[in-house]
Structure formats: C-alpha cells, structure tokens
Amino acid sequence: MKKMNLLFLTILGVLTISGCATNTPETKSTSSNESSTSQAIAQTTATIVITVDGKEVENKEVSFNEGDVLYDVMAANFEIKDQEGFINSIDGQSQDESAGKYWMYDLNGEMALEGAKDLVLKSGDTVLFKLEVMK
C-alpha cells in the first residue's frame, strides 16, 4: 500500500510540474500577443497649423490612432463646428460667407482634394487650415 501511495504521489508530482511547464510558454505567448496588439494601435502624431488672414494662430502637434480621419482628430483637439460635414468654425473662428471668407486646408504643402471626413491622417502629416477670402 505504501508503494502504491508513493507511486501515486510521484505521478501526481510529475503531472503538476508538467502542467506548470506547459503554462509558462502560453503566458509568454499571451504577453507577446498583447504587446503586438498595443503596438498595432499605437498612437502617432501629426501637426495642425491654423491661420486666420495669413497669421498663424495655432500650431499644435496632435496624437491619433492609425486610420483616424482628420475630422475626428480635429474634433478631439479643437472646438469645431460644421455644416453638412464641412468644418465652418475652429476655436471660435468662423467662416463669413458674405465676405467670401472660408476655411480651406492644405495637406503637406498641397491643397487637399478631399473633405476632412474622408482624409485618413498618416504619421508626420502637416495640415494647414486657412481661414481666408476666396479669390
């Protein structure tokens, strides 16, 4: 009977040690996956510059998640208002249709060809919002 108990305890001990050894790689694997996931949604930055009548009133580096659109990044970092999806006020600076003064924006030095709700920002982008008279 003593031999049977000793054999049972030995087998139980081996199984316990084996079970612990098997869990260790899974734990490391999970941590590695969590780290990869964190990196996948890591934030990146862009620069937003705002000018009114040619004078710079704001220059801000903003953080965002890869895949975010300009409109959402603006809404998270500035007080904006829009009309039918087009930004018409930033931090209290509003368009004046009667004076022909509108918000336009450039992306990396070139006039943007799409609306802020469609433009997906990329790391390092520079966006220049300009409130000026359209000529």
Side-chain angles (χ1 to χ4, degrees):
M1 187 69 163
K2 286 184 181 181
K3 288 183 181 182
M4 192 66 119
N5 284 342
L6 185 58
L7 179 62
F8 176 73
L9 287 174
T10 303
I11 292 172
L12 184 61
V14 169
L15 290 174
T16 301
I17 291 171
S18 296
C20 290
T22 303
N23 285 340
T24 303
E26 288 176 17
T27 301
K28 287 181 182 176
S29 176
T30 301
S31 296
S32 175
N33 288 341
E34 287 174 7
S35 176
S36 296
T37 303
S38 295
Q39 290 174 352
I41 59 170
Q43 289 198 332
T44 188
T45 60
T47 302
I48 308 290
V49 180
I50 299 174
T51 64
V52 176
D53 297 324
K55 296 177 185 168
E56 186 175 303
V57 295
E58 184 81 45
N59 187 327
K60 184 188 275 191
E61 186 172 291
V62 298
S63 297
F64 60 95
N65 293 321
E66 207 168 296
D68 285 352
V69 294
L70 176 58
Y71 184 91
D72 294 337
V73 173
M74 290 297 293
N77 291 280
F78 300 91
E79 181 183 327
I80 65 170
K81 294 180 183 175
D82 74 278
Q83 184 176 8
E84 298 177 14
F86 293 99
I87 295 174
N88 61 7
S89 177
I90 303 174
D91 286 347
Q93 297 286 337
S94 299
Q95 297 182 156
D96 183 353
E97 292 180 29
S98 64
K101 197 176 200 180
Y102 297 94
W103 280 109
M104 300 297 289
Y105 75 93
D106 293 346
L107 175 65
N108 299 322
E110 297 186 20
M111 186 173 164
L113 301 176
E114 56 192 328
K117 287 191 174 187
D118 297 319
L119 179 76
V120 177
L121 279 178
K122 295 180 183 76
S123 180
D125 278 347
T126 298
V127 180
L128 170 62
F129 273 91
K130 306 176 285 187
L131 180 60
E132 56 189 25
V133 175
M134 296 295 297
K135 298 174 183 174

